[in-house]
Amino acid sequence: MLKVGVLGAGHLGKIHLRLLQESNKYELVGFFDPFTENAQKVAKELGYKLFDSIEDLIEEVEVVDIVTPTLSHFECAKKAIEKGCHVFIEKPITKTVLEAEAIKTLASQFHVKGQVGHVERFNPAFTAVKDKINNPMFIETHRLAEFNPRGTDVPVVLDLMIHDIDIILSVVNSKVKNVHASGISVISETPDIANARIEFENGCVANLTASRISMKNMRKSRFFQKDAYISVDFLAKQSEVVRMKDVPKKPDEFAMILQNAEGVKKQIYFDNPEVKNNNAILDELETFADAIENGTDPIVTLRQGTEALRVAQMVIDSF
């Protein structure tokens, strides 16, 4: 079992603490949170060992799980890596691309592994269809959330849209060519609603919408590719694959058949893959343990986390 410590005991930090304690791949050593009142309350009520400083915690562990506000990710990761600890960093990897590049370099220099907490990669609705997503040419995503003061220290692009940016970069095998975007601040100091159009060199276009002041929650993505349409509902954990194939010689009488102006007929097939229930946060933490133990690449590498941040920054810069 890998000895792990958690930095940050806010809403998400407490979830990480609980899951790491339950995991059979980690030994939870303890946590540190600079907000003394909250830290002491968590330690007293939940029984986790509270350390007096980041440095004291790092000395006792092999893996550091960073669940602090984004602004402090770089300093926390730097201290952990320089002590030879592997790092799991909540998304976004850091506040700036320059900081992310520095973390990548440090991890390589000190021969440690790092993973970024892009948890939607582990959403069962996505994992059920990701192997069926093949060279999509148009992607549309909607990520809408009811207002929550947590996360408003960064633009909605870094808070919400970056999830979809990471998913898109994981399935589009091409470089970003152009980004056009608009963002509006409604209640926060930074944009609360954003829309972005990302164009790739291979011709793929992705249209992303994110809002943190919606009346309802929505997390849906749609992928359009040759002869197939794939929808993923990250919130309801449902996915659907709609395929178009040549009509067989003897189609079923209930078959759905489309015919274009040239007389070409296609039959539509509906497939709802089995979506297995899981705990995505536990999965991302435990697959990181596997990567450390087996010497393999984590599922979301520091490089991928950096690229998601780079494209997110391109979106912000084009407002």
Side-chain angles (χ1 to χ4, degrees), residues 263-313:
V264 177
K265 293 181 178 180
K266 294 281 185 179
Q267 182 170 339
I268 298 177
Y269 296 83
F270 295 90
D271 176 24
N272 294 93
E274 181 188 1
V275 176
K276 296 178 180 176
N277 200 24
N278 74 330
N279 186 311
I281 297 175
L282 180 61
D283 280 0
E284 66 178 354
L285 291 168
E286 291 198 333
T287 57
F288 184 46
D290 292 339
I292 294 168
E293 295 286 10
N294 301 329
T296 54
D297 285 338
I299 289 178
V300 186
T301 63
L302 296 176
R303 181 188 64 79
Q304 291 170 330
T306 301
E307 289 311 305
L309 178 63
R310 193 189 313 278
V311 175
Q313 193 59 56

Side-chain angles (χ1 to χ4, degrees), residues 86-107:
H86 305 287
V87 289
F88 182 97
I89 311 172
E90 252 313 312
K91 67 84 201 164
I93 178 171
T94 49
K95 182 173 181 280
T96 67
V97 175
L98 206 62
E99 288 179 344
E101 292 286 2
I103 291 300
K104 268 171 50 187
T105 302
L106 274 173

Side-chain angles (χ1 to χ4, degrees), residues 33-64:
D33 189 308
F35 298 100
T36 309
E37 188 178 338
N38 177 62
Q40 290 176 346
K41 184 181 177 186
V42 170
K44 183 180 178 182
E45 291 180 3
L46 303 174
Y48 307 122
K49 181 179 178 182
L50 171 61
F51 282 77
D52 293 330
S53 68
I54 289 178
E55 290 77 11
D56 288 350
L57 176 60
I58 289 171
E59 288 290 342
E60 299 292 322
V61 300
E62 303 161 87
V63 182
V64 176

Side-chain angles (χ1 to χ4, degrees), residues 10-37:
H11 173 74
L12 190 55
K14 284 188 281 191
I15 294 172
H16 279 231
L17 282 163
R18 175 176 58 80
L19 293 173
L20 288 168
Q21 189 170 54
E22 291 173 3
S23 172
N24 59 12
K25 294 180 185 285
Y26 290 101
E27 177 192 336
L28 178 61
V29 173
F31 76 101
F32 172 75
D33 189 308
F35 298 100
T36 309
E37 188 178 338

Side-chain angles (χ1 to χ4, degrees), residues 27-261:
E27 177 192 336
L28 178 61
V29 173
F31 76 101
F32 172 75
D33 189 308
F35 298 100
T36 309
E37 188 178 338
N38 177 62
Q40 290 176 346
K41 184 181 177 186
V42 170
K44 183 180 178 182
E45 291 180 3
L46 303 174
Y48 307 122
K49 181 179 178 182
L50 171 61
F51 282 77
D52 293 330
S53 68
I54 289 178
E55 290 77 11
D56 288 350
L57 176 60
I58 289 171
E59 288 290 342
E60 299 292 322
V61 300
E62 303 161 87
V63 182
V64 176
D65 181 9
I66 300 167
V67 203
T68 61
T70 305
L71 300 180
S72 63
H73 283 187
F74 175 74
E75 280 304 321
C76 293
K78 184 173 184 288
K79 287 178 180 178
I81 291 168
E82 288 177 343
K83 284 292 184 178
C85 292
H86 305 287
V87 289
F88 182 97
I89 311 172
E90 252 313 312
K91 67 84 201 164
I93 178 171
T94 49
K95 182 173 181 280
T96 67
V97 175
L98 206 62
E99 288 179 344
E101 292 286 2
I103 291 300
K104 268 171 50 187
T105 302
L106 274 173
S108 176
Q109 185 182 336
F110 285 87
H111 307 290
V112 299
K113 291 191 180 295
Q115 179 163 320
V116 184
H118 285 288
V119 70
E120 293 289 41
R121 292 269 206 109
F122 299 82
N123 188 304
F126 176 67
T127 58
V129 297
K130 70 176 181 180
D131 292 340
K132 302 178 191 297
I133 301 173
N134 180 26
N135 196 30
M137 295 310 290
F138 180 68
I139 302 169
E140 190 164 38
T141 73
H142 289 87
R143 187 167 293 262
L144 315 177
E146 295 173 10
F147 183 74
N148 186 330
R150 277 191 302 111
T152 54
D153 56 326
V154 294
V156 70
V157 175
L158 295 181
D159 182 25
L160 297 179
M161 188 183 284
I162 196 166
H163 281 295
D164 298 310
I165 291 172
D166 173 67
I167 289 286
I168 290 167
L169 294 180
S170 76
V171 299
V172 178
N173 188 24
S174 180
K175 291 181 179 178
V176 172
K177 185 172 73 171
N178 288 312
V179 173
H180 306 279
S182 59
I184 303 167
S185 300
V186 178
I187 196 168
S188 314
E189 294 296 315
T190 57
D192 296 302
I193 303 173
N195 176 262
R197 176 185 169 92
I198 301 173
E199 299 171 0
F200 293 86
E201 289 181 357
N202 70 348
C204 177
V205 173
N207 189 30
L208 301 84
T209 301
S211 168
R212 59 185 175 203
I213 52 167
S214 176
M215 297 300 287
K216 64 176 182 177
N217 293 323
M218 179 191 290
R219 290 186 279 163
K220 291 182 177 179
S221 294
R222 297 185 291 168
F223 304 85
F224 297 84
Q225 59 198 46
K226 186 172 174 58
D227 292 338
Y229 154 74
I230 298 162
S231 68
V232 180
D233 188 329
F234 292 90
L235 196 59
K237 294 182 170 53
Q238 297 172 343
S239 48
E240 183 176 52
V241 181
V242 182
R243 293 195 182 279
M244 288 174 53
K245 297 181 181 179
D246 290 334
V247 178
K249 288 181 180 178
K250 292 184 178 180
D252 185 281
E253 61 177 310
F254 299 109
M256 189 176 289
I257 296 172
L258 296 179
Q259 181 176 329
N260 66 13

